[in-house]
Structure formats: C-alpha cells, structure tokens
Amino acid sequence: SGDLKSVTIATAILEYLQAVGASVPIPKALISNPLKERLNAQHMKLPNNGSQIPALPRELIIAIILVWLWMQHKESFQRAFAKSGRIDVDPECKWLIHAAVDAVSQALITEIVNASQNN
C-alpha cells in the first residue's frame, strides 16, 4: 500500500510538472531540437557509443528546462517577445536556451557515466 501510494504521488508530480511545462510560452521545439542534438553528440563520446544508455524521458526533461527557464528568466523572454514577437531570434534568449540545454545534457551524461561505472 505504501509503495503504491508513493508511485501514485510520484506519477501525479510528474504529470503536474509536464502540465506546467506545457503552459510555459516558450516553444517546446526551441528546447527539444538542441537537446536532441546535444544528447546524440554526447552518446557518441560514451563507451560503446552509448549503446548501454537507458531511454531518457525527454518530454519530462524538456518540461523541466522550460519551467526553469521561465521561472528564472521570464522577464528576458517577455521582453524579447514584446520586441519582435519571436524569442528564437533574440540573442539573450538563444543564449539562455542553449546554456540550459548544455547544462542539462552534460549533467545527464555525467550521471549516466557515473551510474555505469558503479555497476
């Protein structure tokens, strides 16, 4: 019963996080495309070309990045949107997005490498 309750709570939290991420007015593609590129590039640097890498919950990772970007840098994104109607061409927003994606992909790969070395 306790395990089921923990799983139910964890599932609800993940669903909530994804819903919040979906409500952030930053286009998901601005995160998903560079994330895919970074993770694919990092996989090739891993032993066995990353063949032992677990499937990553990319939608959840994207939601986390979106929520973090919005919570930390909302004013920058709002300013860029007000200026040109597009955040994908704003240098500050592009930098913020790529810095967040780089940090997350590097952290994920580091965790995966550390976990595989400990097994």
Side-chain angles (χ1 to χ4, degrees):
S1 173
D3 287 343
L4 180 58
K5 185 176 181 181
S6 295
V7 169
T8 303
I9 291 170
T11 300
I13 291 170
L14 295 175
E15 288 172 355
Y16 176 77
L17 181 56
Q18 287 186 294
V20 171
S23 72
V24 171
I26 299 171
K28 189 172 103 171
L30 295 180
I31 305 300
S32 63
N33 293 338
L35 180 65
K36 182 179 177 182
E37 291 171 12
R38 300 296 187 297
L39 290 176
N40 288 342
Q42 292 291 340
H43 277 189
M44 300 319 259
K45 296 178 184 177
L46 295 173
N48 300 324
N49 287 329
S51 62
Q52 311 224 342
I53 299 296
L56 296 171
R58 290 191 187 194
E59 293 301 313
L60 182 58
I61 294 166
I62 292 165
I64 291 167
I65 295 170
L66 286 168
V67 169
W68 184 86
L69 281 169
W70 191 249
M71 293 300 299
Q72 299 299 316
H73 302 285
K74 174 171 57 174
E75 295 82 18
S76 297
F77 289 99
Q78 288 175 330
R79 193 170 41 250
F81 190 76
K83 181 178 170 185
S84 69
R86 294 182 57 187
I87 60 173
D88 61 322
V89 295
D90 182 80
E92 181 184 10
C93 292
K94 285 171 62 173
W95 185 88
L96 288 167
I97 289 167
H98 287 279
V101 168
D102 286 344
V104 168
S105 60
Q106 187 59 48
L108 285 168
I109 295 299
T110 300
E111 283 295 318
I112 291 166
V113 168
N114 289 342
S116 68
Q117 290 173 347
N118 292 332
N119 289 336

